[in-house]
Amino acid sequence: MDARQKKEIKTTFDLVKIIESAVPAIYRRGRLHFATRTFQALRIAVNDELGVLQKGLESGFGLLKKNGRML
């Protein structure tokens, strides 16, 4: 059942509990916290980080001189 239908997600701890119930046990014993990548993905989506990166690269390439390098 959809967790949001059972109870409203109000805090990050609520979301962590949902993630914990969705991932295999082996992920809960890893070096990284099992919810880290989920929160990273949410941050990337909310901040449109991939779109900003694409626009930045396109703008940067437009400013380069012939045979210029972007680092």
Side-chain angles (χ1 to χ4, degrees):
M1 177 179 253
D2 188 6
R4 290 179 293 169
Q5 291 175 345
K6 291 181 182 178
K7 181 184 172 200
E8 185 179 358
I9 303 168
K10 292 184 178 183
T11 68
T12 55
F13 296 110
D14 292 341
L15 184 54
V16 167
K17 287 179 188 176
I18 294 166
I19 296 166
E20 183 177 24
S21 69
V23 298
I26 192 144
Y27 287 111
R28 289 182 237 138
R29 288 175 276 172
R31 189 174 61 93
L32 284 176
H33 190 274
F34 58 85
T36 298
R37 290 191 178 167
T38 301
F39 282 96
Q40 181 181 25
L42 289 170
R43 187 202 75 228
I44 289 168
V46 167
N47 295 332
D48 189 30
E49 292 179 16
L50 296 179
V52 171
L53 178 61
Q54 182 177 354
K55 288 176 189 173
L57 287 172
E58 289 170 356
S59 297
F61 284 123
L63 296 172
L64 283 178
K65 294 181 180 179
K66 186 175 181 178
N67 297 321
R69 296 180 185 184
M70 185 182 297
L71 303 174

